[in-house]
């Protein structure tokens, strides 16, 4: 009979206090939902991306790519005849902007040139399927393409047949007309397939290949083939061997830091939920202490009382976890529909994945929610286990308690500071995340001590004011109860403060960085640029010189952007060539002064990501860059250069790294002086509109009417606004998480105060007998709430600033490989703290109304 009594006692406690139980359940649900949603979104996007890569690239055993630029076509004949190679497939890729209807906006399209004879064996998803009545050799015809379903949908073409209109493909300053002859089955972003020879002729890239895929003889090891090919006479420098899965791994590694940070934020919300479970059950155990004592008298053992409270916490965690899994799946489905699975970070642009529900992941996150609830319920369960039945039944078991000793909190904070100094593990700042957890736990452990210190110092101000003194004294003496009541809001507020400081610091640093890298008011570029090969280098030096001589132009600066594959398993780094002048610090946001470049060296300036990812240190030569800089197609045009790292600069756009060098050095080493963009400064007294008109007129004269129509002017202000808008979109989830976390923390405060005032009916009755009115009693309760939430606001703000230091100076550099200047928005933090105190005071006042309405005589009679 006793076990049944214990179970009914536990469920009755949950049913009779639904609001405070709902606070704990909601917090657990939020943490589980956010963590599971982030996992599902990323898993779905990465799975879709991997399938798209497999359908487009096929399943080769080995890929050959150029570290810079393209591969020479002669290399294909060399590798195809090797005895270890069963099949070789040449590829040429060309990003374009395509239109089928002039009334519709152009669509970003990836054109893939392939050998039609090897496609069925190497990449069957790209095998062309002509429409009814089409020529069987249409794949070999010039200026003929086959579209995948995503391209048909994006272009608004519907069913493809002989009546399908021609496509206009724009690349660089050129426009080409092609006909659509059929479809391909490959999924993923918009794609068009055509014969590789026809593609080379159409885009003027004769003799160039993007990559070569190899299918090896059965039993042949890829490593042995790499060694054999690299040892061939005349093997060009700069050829890299890549595994088929490297592209998926590159995207996975790029998005990993972003999704791990989002997951950690979700786990912080789960930590807040664990503390709210602790708060709810601690107050519940304190309120039901006589009942637990009675159960002990009836025969309940200490272990059974411990299990009873743990059962309650497990029930809260289980309900919150189940609801969190359902909510997380719904959030993931909504995000995949609205955002396309890029998590706000832009890592899976163009991918429209379907929901990929993972049962093992759901179980893991569900168990995390239950574990968090059990951790939160452990200490209240221990209190129920250790209470003395006789003393508790006599009313001697409830007291304020001293709470945890101050040294425990100080030790945890010191341990957190130590962890913040440790390096990342596998590129993830695990120690820094542990530091954040220890700081939060240590700060909350110090709450009783902080209540004692702060309220003792405020006591002289309350002398002479009876109600204020009464509220202050009780708040000070019940400091352990204060830690329980406001611990959840301290955790939530510290998270909100930390994120506010981190996001504000990041946004301010990005704004300053944009001012530095966008010195010109206007920029000129082609609307369709290539993402590989010549990387949109469309402006010849003669055109830049002609623009510089225009009356409305005061100054022109040519900028060149290309890509460099330093390692096959990592994303390419950006190679920026621009005039650096005598003082590169005036052009680049350098960290420190530029180092003098030794004679016979070429000075380069690397971003912080390059330092972390490739070990490039300022003041040293960089042999790795010297080895891969020159493209195989350009071999022999210039001697190999010895690069010297002359400085490190901040770059908030290219997480994979960027290298800057002087434009003259780039032109001398590559023999290519073309530019990707032109930075334009208007002449004194001239407007940007006049500058646009004159540059367009010069473009029509120098480049032709069609090429001039493909040019685009972009104002620096527009680039700045768009960059900050992307930044705000990426961090939108953090703003939402702040609001929800603080809301749940205040909900926990409401539940805590409600439980406490209901347990203090005798005290309120005594105060009423002593002559205090209902309004005065509510004033005392509100004063206690103000005192406790004020201490919580101070503690939460200080903890938040400490956590912000870790986020700004440790987590961000270790996760994203860039640093920032910390900026504290004091007005926003002050407003946040005042709002928390105001809402906490109001919550205490509202919670006290119910207890203060009880009849005073009946409340006091409970002591007779």
């Amino acid at each position: 009979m006793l076990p049944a009594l214990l179970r009914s006692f536990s469920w009755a406690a949950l049913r009779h206090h639904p609001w405070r139980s709902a606070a704990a359940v909601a917090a657990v649900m939020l943490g589980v939902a956010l963590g599971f949603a982030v996992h599902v979104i990323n898993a779905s996007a990465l799975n879709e991306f991997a399938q798209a890569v497999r359908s487009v690239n096929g399943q080769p055993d080995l890929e050959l790519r150029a570290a810079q630029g393209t591969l020479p076509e002669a290399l294909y004949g060399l590798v195809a005849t090797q005895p270890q190679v069963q099949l070789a497939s040449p590829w040429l890729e060309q990003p374009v902007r395509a239109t089928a209807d002039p009334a519709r906006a152009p669509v970003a399209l990836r054109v893939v040139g392939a050998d039609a004879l090897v496609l069925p064996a190497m990449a069957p998803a790209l095998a062309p399927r002509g429409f009814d009545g089409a020529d069987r050799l249409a794949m070999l015809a010039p200026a003929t393409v086959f579209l995948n379903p995503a391209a048909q949908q994006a272009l608004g073409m519907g069913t493809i047949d002989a009546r399908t209109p021609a496509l206009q493909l724009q690349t660089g300053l050129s426009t080409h007309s092609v006909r659509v002859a059929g479809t391909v089955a490959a999924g993923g972003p918009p794609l068009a397939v055509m014969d590789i020879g026809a593609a080379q002729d159409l885009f003027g890239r004769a003799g160039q290949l993007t990559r070569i895929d190899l299918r090896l003889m059965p039993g042949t090891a890829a490593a042995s083939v790499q060694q054999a090919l690299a040892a061939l006479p005349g093997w060009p420098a700069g050829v890299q061997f890549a595994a088929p899965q490297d592209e998926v791994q590159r995207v996975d590694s790029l998005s990993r830091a972003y999704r791990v940070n989002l997951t950690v934020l979700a786990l912080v919300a789960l930590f807040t939920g664990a503390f709210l479970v602790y708060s709810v059950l601690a107050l519940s155990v304190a309120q039901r202490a006589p009942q637990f004592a009675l159960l002990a008298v009836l025969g309940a053992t200490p272990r059974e009382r411990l299990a009873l409270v743990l059962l309650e916490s497990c029930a809260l965690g289980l309900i919150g976890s189940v609801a969190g899994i359902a909510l997380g799946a719904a959030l993931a489905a909504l995000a995949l529909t609205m955002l396309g699975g890029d998590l706000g970070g832009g890592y899976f642009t163009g991918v429209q994945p379907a929901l990929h529900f993972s049962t093992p992941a759901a179980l893991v996150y569900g168990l995390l929610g239950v574990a968090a609830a059990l951790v939160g319920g452990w200490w209240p369960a221990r209190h129920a286990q250790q209470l003395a039945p006789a003393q508790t039944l006599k009313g001697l078991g409830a007291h304020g308690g001293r709470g945890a000793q101050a040294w425990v909190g100080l030790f945890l904070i010191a341990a957190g500071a130590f962890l913040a100094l440790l390096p990342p593990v596998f590129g993830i700042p695990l120690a820094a995340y542990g530091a954040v957890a220890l700081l939060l736990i240590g700060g909350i452990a110090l709450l009783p001590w902080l209540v004692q210190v702060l309220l003792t110092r405020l006591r002289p101000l309350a002398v002479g004011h009876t109600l204020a003194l009464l509220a202050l004294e009780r708040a000070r003496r019940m400091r352990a109860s204060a830690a329980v009541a406001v611990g959840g809001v301290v955790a939530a507020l510290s998270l909100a403060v930390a994120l506010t400081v981190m996001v504000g610091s990041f946004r301010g640093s990005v704004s300053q960085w944009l001012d530095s890298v966008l010195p010109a008011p206007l920029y000129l570029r082609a609307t369709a640029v290539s993402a590989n090969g010549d990387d949109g280098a469309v402006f010849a030096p003669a055109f830049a010189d002609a623009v510089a001589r225009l009356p409305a132009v005061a100054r022109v600066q040519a900028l060149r952007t290309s890509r460099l594959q330093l390692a096959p398993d990592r994303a390419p780094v950006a190679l920026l060539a621009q005039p650096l002048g005598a003082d590169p610090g005036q052009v680049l946001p350098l960290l420190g002064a530029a180092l003098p470049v030794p004679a016979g060296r070429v000075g380069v300036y690397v971003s912080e990501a390059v330092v972390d990812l490739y070990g490039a240190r300022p003041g040293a030569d960089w042999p790795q860059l010297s080895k891969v800089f020159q493209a195989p197609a350009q071999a022999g045009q210039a001697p190999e250069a010895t690069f010297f790292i002359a400085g490190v600069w901040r770059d908030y756009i290219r997480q994979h790294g960027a290298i800057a060098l002087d434009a003259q050095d780039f032109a001398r080493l590559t023999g290519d002086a073309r530019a990707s963009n032109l930075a334009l400064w208007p002449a004194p007294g001239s407007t940007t509109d006049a500058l646009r008109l004159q540059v367009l007129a010069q473009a029509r004269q120098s480049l032709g009417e069609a090429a001039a129509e493909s040019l685009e002017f972009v104002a620096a202000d527009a680039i700045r606004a768009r960059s900050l808008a992307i930044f705000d979109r990426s961090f939108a989830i953090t703003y939402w998480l702040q609001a929800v976390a603080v809301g749940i923390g205040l909900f926990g405060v409401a539940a805590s105060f409600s439980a406490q005032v209901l347990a203090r009916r005798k005290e309120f009755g005594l105060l009423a007998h002593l002559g205090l009115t209902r309004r005065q009693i509510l004033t005392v309760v509100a004063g206690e709430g103000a005192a406790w939430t004020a201490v919580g606001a101070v503690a939460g703000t200080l903890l938040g600033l400490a956590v912000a230091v870790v986020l700004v100076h440790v987590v961000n550099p270790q996760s994203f490989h860039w640093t920032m200047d910390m900026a504290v928005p004091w007005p926003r933090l002050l407003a946040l703290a005042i709002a928390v105190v105001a809402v906490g005071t109001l919550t205490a006042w509202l919670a006290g109304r119910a207890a203060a309405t009880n009849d005073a005589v009946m409340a006091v009679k409970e002591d007779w």
Side-chain angles (χ1 to χ4, degrees):
M1 179 177 178
L2 184 60
L5 177 62
L6 292 175
R7 287 194 298 270
S8 63
F9 177 78
S10 179
W11 293 119
L14 295 178
R15 291 197 308 271
H16 291 164
H17 304 284
W19 287 106
R20 68 187 186 191
S21 299
V25 169
V28 173
M29 178 183 67
L30 174 67
V32 172
L34 290 178
F36 185 62
V38 170
H39 174 84
V40 170
I41 292 170
N42 180 79
S44 301
L46 192 62
N47 180 69
E48 186 73 16
F49 181 80
Q51 290 181 0
V53 169
R54 286 193 296 269
S55 65
V56 174
N57 292 1
Q59 291 296 323
D61 299 314
L62 201 61
E63 296 178 358
L64 274 63
R65 296 180 180 271
Q68 181 186 7
T70 58
L71 295 170
E73 191 173 16
L75 189 64
Y76 166 69
L78 181 64
V79 300
T81 57
Q82 297 304 308
Q84 306 98 320
V85 177
Q86 183 183 51
L87 186 66
S89 175
W91 299 85
L92 179 67
E93 299 180 10
Q94 180 68 52
V96 301
R97 291 173 67 88
T99 53
D101 183 358
R104 297 174 64 96
V107 173
L109 186 67
R110 177 184 175 193
V111 178
V112 177
D115 186 345
L117 300 180
V118 300
L119 275 180
M122 187 67 75
L126 293 182
R129 297 178 297 184
F131 53 73
D132 295 338
D135 188 354
R136 293 170 52 189
L137 300 179
M139 177 61 187
L140 304 177
T144 302
V145 299
F146 297 77
L147 302 179
N148 74 338
Q152 299 174 51
Q153 181 180 2
L155 293 167
M157 301 186 67
T159 304
I160 296 179
D161 54 29
R163 299 184 301 274
T164 297
L167 289 183
Q168 302 300 315
L169 307 182
Q170 184 181 352
T171 173
L173 300 177
S174 303
T175 301
H176 311 279
S177 181
V178 297
R179 70 184 185 94
V180 180
T183 63
V184 295
L191 175 78
V193 179
M194 65 186 306
D195 178 66
I196 186 170
Q200 290 174 326
D201 294 339
L202 182 69
F203 300 117
R205 301 181 63 179
Q208 299 180 25
L209 299 177
T210 303
R211 76 176 195 272
I212 302 174
D213 290 350
L214 303 180
R215 178 79 55 81
L216 304 181
M217 290 292 184
T220 304
S224 63
V225 175
Q226 293 182 31
Q227 295 177 357
L229 292 178
L232 291 175
W235 185 260
V239 177
Q240 292 185 340
F241 299 93
Q245 66 272 18
D246 281 348
E247 187 171 355
V248 178
Q249 291 178 351
R250 285 194 295 266
V251 174
D252 179 63
S253 62
L254 277 176
S255 66
R256 181 178 60 183
Y258 189 72
R259 70 176 186 268
V260 165
N261 277 277
L262 290 180
T263 302
V264 169
L265 290 179
L267 294 180
V268 171
L270 194 58
F271 166 79
T272 304
F275 202 88
L276 284 181
V277 171
Y278 164 72
S279 175
V280 167
L281 292 181
L283 293 170
S284 177
V285 168
Q287 185 180 2
R288 294 181 294 158
Q291 302 171 26
F292 279 106
L294 181 60
L295 288 175
V297 172
L298 293 176
T301 65
R303 178 172 294 183
E304 287 175 331
R305 298 196 301 269
L306 174 74
L308 182 65
V309 179
L310 290 180
L311 178 63
E312 295 179 18
S313 63
C314 183
L316 294 175
L318 186 61
I319 296 172
S321 295
V322 172
I325 294 298
L327 178 60
L331 289 175
L334 181 64
L336 292 173
T337 302
M338 299 180 62
L339 302 177
D342 68 351
L343 294 173
Y347 296 105
F348 300 99
T349 302
V351 176
Q352 295 293 332
L355 183 68
H356 184 73
F357 188 89
S358 173
T359 301
L363 291 176
V364 168
Y365 280 96
L367 290 176
L368 280 176
V370 174
L374 288 173
V375 169
W378 173 255
W379 284 273
R382 290 283 295 171
H383 180 68
Q385 180 187 33
Q386 297 172 356
L387 62 82
Q391 291 182 342
T392 303
L393 287 175
K394 293 179 181 179
L396 302 177
H399 53 82
R402 300 180 57 190
Q405 296 294 323
W407 67 265
V408 176
L410 293 175
F411 173 79
L412 292 174
I413 291 176
F418 172 76
L419 286 181
L421 301 177
L422 298 181
V425 180
F426 301 112
I428 301 176
L430 296 179
Y433 295 139
V436 171
L438 290 182
L439 287 175
L440 291 174
I441 298 173
I444 293 173
L446 281 176
L447 270 179
W449 173 82
L450 188 62
V451 169
Q452 177 72 19
V453 171
L454 292 182
L455 297 188
T456 299
R457 293 186 177 275
L458 292 176
R459 188 177 185 278
L461 300 178
V463 174
H465 304 278
T466 305
L467 296 181
L469 185 61
L470 182 61
L472 193 64
E473 277 300 300
R474 190 185 188 283
R476 182 174 69 89
R477 295 182 184 277
M478 301 296 291
R479 53 187 180 275
S481 297
V484 174
V486 302
V489 77
V490 168
L493 180 60
S494 61
L495 171 64
V497 169
L499 292 179
T500 299
V501 173
M502 187 272 290
V503 174
S505 300
F506 198 3
R507 199 179 195 279
S509 297
V510 169
S511 180
Q512 294 178 1
W513 176 80
L514 288 171
D515 293 338
S516 176
V517 299
L518 297 173
L522 201 63
Y523 291 83
L524 178 66
R525 66 184 183 188
T527 55
V529 297
S530 171
N532 56 8
D534 61 1
D535 292 290
V538 296
F539 300 118
F543 176 71
D545 293 339
V547 171
R549 292 191 294 268
L550 295 175
V553 177
R555 179 185 169 196
V556 173
Q557 186 179 78
L559 310 173
R560 174 68 180 263
T561 303
S562 57
R563 302 192 309 169
L564 195 63
Q565 190 79 47
L566 291 178
D569 58 341
R570 288 178 175 164
V573 301
L575 187 63
L576 313 177
Q578 61 186 104
L580 297 180
D583 185 9
Q586 298 294 325
V587 180
L588 298 173
L590 293 179
L591 300 176
L595 300 176
V597 181
R601 304 287 196 273
V602 176
V604 295
Y605 303 85
V606 299
S607 67
E608 296 172 296
V610 174
V611 176
D612 290 344
L613 295 175
Y614 299 97
R617 304 295 174 185
D621 290 341
W622 195 3
Q624 182 183 9
L625 179 61
S626 302
K627 181 179 180 181
V628 303
F629 177 77
Q630 199 173 37
Q634 298 172 339
Q637 291 188 11
E640 182 176 308
T642 301
F643 292 99
F644 176 82
I645 304 171
V648 180
W649 57 289
R650 284 181 175 173
D651 183 19
Y652 291 126
I653 289 183
R654 307 165 188 89
Q655 183 185 335
H656 48 272
I659 304 170
L661 75 163
D662 191 78
Q664 292 183 353
D665 290 330
F666 182 89
R668 175 173 57 84
L669 294 173
T670 63
D672 188 354
R674 294 176 300 165
S676 307
N677 303 276
L678 296 181
L680 306 173
W681 284 264
S686 180
T687 64
T688 55
D689 291 337
L691 184 149
R692 294 170 191 258
L693 292 175
Q694 291 188 14
V695 172
L696 280 177
Q698 181 63 49
R700 292 187 180 95
Q701 179 181 346
S702 302
L703 307 175
E705 186 69 30
E709 293 299 324
S710 67
L711 297 181
E712 179 182 22
F713 292 91
V714 184
D717 291 341
I719 299 176
R720 176 190 176 92
R722 182 174 180 272
S723 300
L724 293 179
I726 294 174
F727 176 93
D728 292 335
R729 185 191 67 179
S730 300
F731 284 93
I733 189 173
T734 63
Y735 299 129
W736 181 77
L737 182 60
Q738 291 178 53
V740 173
V742 173
I744 289 182
L746 292 174
F747 193 27
V749 171
S752 300
F753 274 111
S754 298
Q756 290 202 25
V757 296
L758 289 176
R760 293 165 58 192
R761 293 174 59 245
K762 302 175 187 178
E763 177 185 335
F764 293 149
L766 179 60
L767 292 176
H769 272 289
L770 292 176
L772 270 68
T773 65
R774 180 172 179 268
R775 174 176 294 182
Q776 289 173 325
I777 294 175
L778 290 179
T779 301
V780 172
V781 175
E784 293 176 21
W788 282 358
T789 51
V791 174
V794 171
T797 302
L798 294 177
L799 269 181
L801 291 175
V803 172
V805 171
V806 178
L807 293 179
V808 170
H809 296 298
V810 182
V811 172
N812 267 285
Q814 291 184 1
S815 296
F816 302 103
H817 313 293
W818 52 50
T819 61
M820 66 186 77
D821 299 322
M822 186 167 174
V824 181
W826 292 111
R828 292 183 61 185
L829 299 188
L830 181 61
L832 187 60
I834 292 175
V836 167
V837 173
V839 175
T841 304
L842 178 63
T843 298
W845 181 80
L846 292 175
R849 292 186 64 188
T853 57
N854 292 319
D855 183 77
V857 175
M858 296 303 297
V860 175
K861 282 185 65 176
E862 294 180 4
D863 280 339
W864 297 356

